[in-house]
Amino acid sequence: MELGIIGLGKMGGNMAERLRKAGHKIVGFDFSADAVKRLTDAGSVGVSSLEDLVKNLSAPRAVWIMVPSGDPVDQTIAKLEPLMQKGDTFIDGGNSNYKDSQRRYKELTAKGFNFVDVGTSGGVWGLKEGYSMMVGGDKEPVERLRPIFEALAPAKDKGWGHVGPAGAGHFVKMVHNGIEYGMMQAYAEGFSIMGHKKELNLDLTQIAEIWRYGSVVRSWLLDLTADALKKNPTLEGLEAYVADSGEGRWTVFEAIDLNVSAPVITESLIRRIRSREDNNFSDRMLAIMRNAFGGHAVKTEKQE
């Protein structure tokens, strides 16, 4: 099967390579000439324009968009539309807000195109392990794309599925990432507690390895954590700064709108935001309030 891919970063490039190895024709475009060259050197078709990408695909075309969420997706679709034909399919495999996907579906189907939203998980490990894909959209285009999903997934019948109508794929991926936030926070807190119990001299790398087998808290996330600890047991040189892609925030907003209690996901998001604050203002406010009502000592910046 033929597939166009726009956005050949680590994930998009790895997806292209996995599909090429499965026998699919891949035509890729990226603003980075180096990324296009890597694709071509690997045996796929790299192009320098969207026009050339469309020309190298047979109708009905399918184009997988892997660009940052928001305006970049809309701009890419707007540039592609005049080049595509009715019956062609736009696939958004990035981390878009599901409401944007619902809007794009309505706009594109009204013009005779198909739109499929694919919440994609797997990151840099997807080339080797396969990708988990949560697919939203109409049945006909999803079924037509089945060979692509089967090739990208860990197995033909595992790790992917058509979860619902347009927007459903990105909605499920949004919740997936919210859960991921909570799991990561729990691991981080647990290892921090053990690391602070100095008198027991615990080996966190050893403990992570023990938990990987037989334990109820074993997971792929723990596997990756264990590997990271082997490489840097003391986390030397790392800053306590954690970014977020936005999906954790959207999950919390959705929970509030639906009147669903989600304290773990919410708190894990707040902790990420707090990690970016240098000399946290709210903590300093707490210190000065304790000093005001109880005379408790306050540390200044010069004190250690």
Side-chain angles (χ1 to χ4, degrees), residues 3-5 25-29 39 44-47 52-53 56-57:
L3 181 71
I5 297 181
K25 176 186 174 181
I26 302 302
V27 182
F29 167 77
L39 183 77
S44 291
V45 181
V47 297
D52 285 341
L53 180 137
N56 276 277
L57 295 170

Side-chain angles (χ1 to χ4, degrees), residues 298-304:
V298 178
K299 288 186 178 183
T300 64
E301 290 183 0
K302 293 182 180 180
Q303 292 177 297
E304 295 185 3

Side-chain angles (χ1 to χ4, degrees), residues 47-264:
V47 297
S48 57
S49 70
L50 294 179
E51 289 82 0
D52 285 341
L53 180 137
V54 174
K55 287 178 182 177
N56 276 277
L57 295 170
S58 303
R61 302 169 187 84
V63 178
W64 190 302
I65 301 170
M66 288 294 286
V67 301
S69 63
D71 286 342
V73 179
D74 286 324
Q75 291 171 14
T76 301
I77 291 174
K79 291 175 182 177
L80 271 177
E81 271 191 53
L83 309 173
M84 304 272 272
Q85 298 176 356
K86 290 183 178 181
D88 290 348
T89 301
F90 292 79
I91 308 160
D92 182 2
N95 288 329
S96 291
N97 188 298
Y98 81 96
K99 294 179 181 178
D100 286 336
S101 296
Q102 291 175 326
R103 169 179 58 80
R104 290 168 186 143
Y105 168 83
K106 290 179 181 178
E107 293 172 351
L108 288 168
T109 54
K111 299 174 183 178
F113 300 114
N114 297 304
F115 178 83
V116 174
D117 57 292
V118 184
T120 311
S121 179
V124 297
W125 293 90
L127 176 59
K128 178 183 177 183
E129 304 287 342
Y131 296 90
S132 172
M133 292 165 291
M134 298 132 264
V135 184
D138 294 335
K139 183 177 179 180
E140 192 276 329
V142 171
E143 281 301 310
R144 192 191 314 158
L145 291 166
R146 175 178 286 274
I148 296 296
F149 299 136
E150 291 179 343
L152 287 172
K156 285 187 175 183
D157 59 346
K158 289 183 174 64
W160 80 277
H162 185 191
V163 297
H170 282 146
F171 183 87
V172 174
K173 177 58 162 49
M174 175 193 75
V175 177
H176 164 284
N177 279 27
I179 293 170
E180 178 186 293
Y181 279 33
M183 291 175 66
M184 292 174 70
Q185 184 66 31
Y187 279 130
E189 291 177 7
F191 279 96
S192 180
I193 292 168
M194 291 186 290
H196 279 78
K197 195 65 173 177
K198 300 298 183 184
E199 66 266 32
L200 295 183
N201 194 30
L202 299 172
D203 183 338
L204 301 187
T205 304
Q206 177 200 32
I207 293 166
E209 283 295 326
I210 292 171
W211 286 356
R212 289 181 62 203
Y213 304 97
S215 166
V216 294
V217 299
R218 67 187 183 275
S219 69
W220 186 42
L221 183 57
L222 181 60
D223 294 342
L224 298 176
T225 301
D227 185 59
L229 286 171
K230 286 179 186 176
K231 296 174 181 176
N232 190 353
T234 62
L235 308 185
E236 184 179 356
L238 298 178
E239 289 188 30
Y241 184 103
V242 186
D244 72 278
S245 64
E247 291 182 296
R249 297 172 185 239
W250 301 338
T251 305
V252 172
F253 298 157
E254 204 65 32
I256 293 170
D257 287 344
L258 295 170
N259 288 320
V260 174
S261 175
V264 172

